[in-house]
Amino acid sequence: MKTILALLSLSLLAAPLAAQAPPPPAAARPAAPAAAAPASPLNAAVEQAINLVQAGNKTAAFARLKEIASDPAATQPELSTVGALFVEIGKPQEALKVLKPLADTEDAEPAVLYNAGRAALLAGQTDAGRIYLTRSVLKEPASPAARELGLLTAREGRVVEAYSMLRPWVLHNPTDAQARLMAASLAVQLERPDDAAQFLEGMPDDATIQLLNAKVRILRKDGPGAVALLKPLLAKHPQGMELEVRRSLAEADLLAGQPAEAAKLIEGRAAGHPALVLLLARAQRQAGNAAAAAATLKPLADKLPESASGLGDPRPAAGIAAEYGALLVDAGRAAEAVPFYEKATRYYPRNADAWKGLARAYEASGRKADAQRALAQATEVAKLPARPAGSAAEPSAAAVSAGSGSAPGMSGEPEQPLSPGLQNALELMTKGQLEPALTAVRQEIAVSKDPRARMIELRILLALKRPQEGIQSAEAALAADPNNPDYLYMRGVSEMAVQRFSSAEQDFRKALQIQPRHLPAMNDLAVLLIQVHKDKEARKLLEQVLQINPQDQMAAANLQQLKATMEGQQ
């Protein structure tokens, strides 16, 4: 039995990895949670298959496993182990044939769901894999499914969410080199140098680690320290890394007071890379060549949109707007600078420097009252804490429902009065003036921390049949508050509208993991589950909603219709 349990731990943790550093030997990884072990003894045939896999004899193992899988007397624990072993020898289709019937039941074990998720990912069924992994994590938070889900989400570019999954995994499993490396990279992207340094500590000093350590020093404003790491790396680095090394070294040179050196590093290489264009312009301005900086930045500045809704990460665009605004103010063209600074603060309201720049532009334009308001906003923004991703979200204010008719009041806290700006947006919306309402609520979002503003924006976007913008709005909100269940719910609703059901299910479930009595998420997850024929779980959710809020007419109607459907199927 010791041999069997050892292999089960191995099978749970030896998933395919896609990081830049090889994974550590399986034996060095932490043991799987006790819940992963099968509930019944394994027969001699399965023990033999385990030994063949451990010996590296994949051909013989495959033949033996197929025999066991086709045996009608095989028990569920035996089939679970067979499926995990199929994954180990690189046969995901065979694994899915065995694991899918087990994983599709509502009471599936976390280990079964984990291995079904691995098999689905290997077979190219990403959506199915994501759902299996998410269900595994919700049933057992310590499941290595959190690791695989984090890596998958990182590859999809969802940085905040990926980090919230990988950070706790890495802290509890420090020998997992690949997950540590990915978590460090994500921490750098999220500008969390202390976290990144913690993950990188003690790792082999190869080119990737050296570059990340230099980025940590840049985030800590240690220009000379970063230059010392990057100059040798620029002289000798792996293929494909040069542009990123140059960019980082240019940033380090700027911090070290060497703007001319920074400009030399990236001149002629910035085309098609907005972040490099911005960096080059900053270097030119700091080197005293404002005209060259303006010429470098103007093509991008002229193309900046009015709204941040289609930007994804708003920081690069906000940086371009603020830098160009600074150039215009320095050139005595403050009135022209104001619209660019206003865009910078709309794109990324948490940037205190952008608000200070806007105040400066207002002041130089003779708009003293506006300048005072912008300075006050800069002071407020500077007070905002940088909440670590992966930590528990603070209780959110009541949010305006945008889903299947759920009532407001998601958090269960007393609802605070709406600001005049939000009241105006709601009045315009109720009158059917959706575009003016959208403009009004987005103006409020630029200066307000009230999450209801985002929820109202989502309702308007869905009424305008623009759910993709709803997803982008939720992403922008999550960038500032990654574990806010209301924002996760927002994204789930928008994903449902574009029929991205697996992503929506993942967001609803994560919202409920953070806030188990989040009524709109419970309601909309139930609606989604009905659509994908998971009627039993949907019924339980709707019954729970009505226990909490017996007056929820939408939940009552959905439950009545679902009961009738289920009775008709019997």
Side-chain angles (χ1 to χ4, degrees):
M1 183 60 75
K2 289 182 179 179
T3 302
I4 296 168
L5 291 177
L7 182 64
L8 284 173
S9 296
L10 167 65
S11 70
L12 279 170
L13 292 161
L17 305 176
Q20 301 155 27
R29 294 189 181 178
S40 63
L42 301 179
N43 62 25
V46 177
E47 180 77 37
Q48 182 186 17
I50 289 173
N51 292 333
L52 289 169
V53 172
Q54 287 181 319
N57 191 342
K58 293 184 179 182
T59 301
F62 180 62
R64 198 75 185 99
L65 290 169
K66 287 196 74 173
E67 290 177 9
I68 302 167
S70 62
D71 187 341
T75 65
Q76 179 172 321
E78 291 163 357
L79 290 174
S80 174
T81 304
V82 166
L85 293 171
F86 271 133
V87 175
E88 289 304 316
I89 63 174
K91 299 292 183 181
Q93 297 290 357
E94 297 293 336
L96 278 177
K97 289 178 185 177
V98 175
L99 292 171
K100 191 176 188 302
L102 305 178
D104 286 346
T105 62
E106 293 184 16
D107 57 352
E109 291 292 324
V112 171
L113 291 165
Y114 170 72
N115 282 304
R118 294 174 60 207
L121 292 180
L122 283 172
Q125 300 178 27
T126 305
D127 286 347
R130 183 186 291 109
I131 289 176
Y132 287 138
L133 292 173
T134 301
R135 290 176 60 202
S136 179
V137 171
L138 290 177
K139 292 192 173 193
E140 175 51 71
S143 167
R147 172 191 194 274
E148 304 311 320
L149 198 55
L151 292 173
L152 172 63
T153 307
R155 290 193 290 270
E156 294 173 338
R158 296 166 68 173
V159 175
V160 173
E161 190 170 351
Y163 187 65
S164 72
M165 297 174 192
L166 284 175
R167 182 176 183 271
W169 170 263
V170 170
L171 292 176
H172 288 94
N173 300 276
T175 58
D176 188 342
Q178 183 190 20
R180 281 179 64 189
L181 185 60
M182 180 64 80
S185 177
L186 295 172
V188 166
Q189 292 179 62
L190 292 170
E191 299 180 1
R192 301 182 183 278
D194 294 342
D195 284 0
Q198 180 183 5
F199 299 144
L200 293 170
E201 186 176 359
M203 295 192 74
D205 195 18
D206 62 13
T208 300
I209 304 300
Q210 195 172 345
L211 177 60
L212 285 172
N213 274 316
K215 287 176 176 288
V216 168
R217 283 166 173 75
I218 290 169
L219 290 172
R220 289 173 168 171
K221 309 301 182 185
D222 178 11
V227 169
L229 286 174
L230 290 166
K231 278 195 171 180
L233 194 56
L234 182 61
K236 186 178 180 181
H237 53 265
Q239 188 175 4
M241 192 182 279
E242 180 171 350
L243 193 61
E244 190 57 32
V245 173
R246 283 183 175 274
R247 171 183 169 175
S248 299
L249 182 52
E251 289 179 308
D253 278 330
L254 277 181
L255 288 171
Q258 302 176 123
E261 292 297 320
K264 287 179 186 177
L265 280 166
I266 51 178
E267 280 177 345
R269 302 172 186 269
H273 301 280
L276 284 180
V277 173
L278 174 59
L279 186 57
L280 176 59
R282 283 175 175 162
Q284 290 168 330
R285 180 167 70 91
Q286 291 183 30
N289 195 345
T296 295
L297 213 51
K298 190 175 188 304
L300 290 182
D302 288 343
K303 295 178 182 178
L304 289 171
E306 288 300 316
S307 167
S309 60
L311 292 175
D313 183 352
R315 290 173 296 181
I320 291 167
E323 183 69 22
Y324 196 65
L327 288 165
L328 290 172
V329 171
D330 290 346
R333 299 158 60 187
E336 295 176 54
V338 166
F340 289 99
Y341 272 121
E342 288 177 338
K343 286 181 180 180
T345 56
R346 280 201 300 274
Y347 296 163
Y348 193 46
R350 293 175 67 92
N351 187 340
D353 289 337
W355 286 105
K356 291 176 184 177
L358 178 59
R360 179 181 169 222
Y362 279 147
E363 183 74 27
S365 301
R367 298 169 58 177
K368 296 188 181 300
D370 288 336
Q372 290 176 354
R373 282 192 287 269
L375 277 177
Q377 188 62 31
T379 302
E380 288 301 311
V381 168
K383 294 177 182 176
L384 293 177
R387 187 159 42 249
S391 65
E394 295 178 359
S396 56
V400 179
S401 169
S404 62
S406 306
M410 298 185 185
S411 69
E413 293 193 347
E415 187 166 351
Q416 300 299 316
L418 291 175
S419 68
L422 287 185
Q423 289 177 353
N424 179 44
L426 277 177
E427 289 172 5
L428 290 168
M429 184 175 67
T430 57
K431 293 176 182 177
Q433 300 177 28
L434 297 180
E435 288 292 353
L438 185 60
T439 300
V441 77
R442 285 178 170 171
Q443 289 173 347
E444 186 70 16
I445 287 170
V447 297
S448 171
K449 299 189 286 291
D450 189 337
R452 293 174 295 181
R454 288 287 186 186
M455 307 306 287
I456 295 172
E457 180 190 31
L458 177 62
R459 279 187 77 172
I460 297 170
L461 289 170
L462 292 179
L464 289 167
K465 301 188 185 305
R466 287 152 60 179
Q468 194 62 47
E469 288 187 44
I471 295 174
Q472 293 161 351
S473 175
E475 292 281 4
L478 285 165
D481 196 352
N483 278 335
N484 186 312
D486 295 343
Y487 295 156
L488 287 163
Y489 168 72
M490 274 179 58
R491 187 167 65 188
V493 170
S494 303
E495 288 164 336
M496 275 189 73
V498 295
Q499 297 189 335
R500 285 168 49 179
F501 295 130
S502 63
S503 296
E505 181 177 348
Q506 182 180 351
D507 280 334
F508 290 149
R509 290 187 186 278
K510 186 172 181 185
L512 291 172
Q513 184 180 13
I514 296 168
Q515 188 175 313
R517 292 166 65 92
H518 193 290
L519 293 179
M522 294 170 74
N523 260 316
D524 283 320
L525 178 57
V527 172
L528 187 153
L529 292 171
I530 292 170
Q531 293 184 19
V532 297
H533 309 297
K534 295 181 180 178
D535 294 345
K536 290 182 180 179
E537 185 180 359
R539 179 172 176 170
K540 289 179 182 177
L541 275 170
L542 292 171
E543 289 171 345
Q544 289 172 15
V545 170
L546 290 171
Q547 287 175 359
I548 299 168
N549 179 19
Q551 307 304 317
D552 192 325
Q553 296 180 0
M554 182 63 70
N558 285 333
L559 180 59
Q560 183 179 2
Q561 183 176 355
L562 179 58
K563 285 180 177 178
T565 301
M566 294 176 72
E567 288 170 1
Q569 293 171 348
Q570 291 177 353

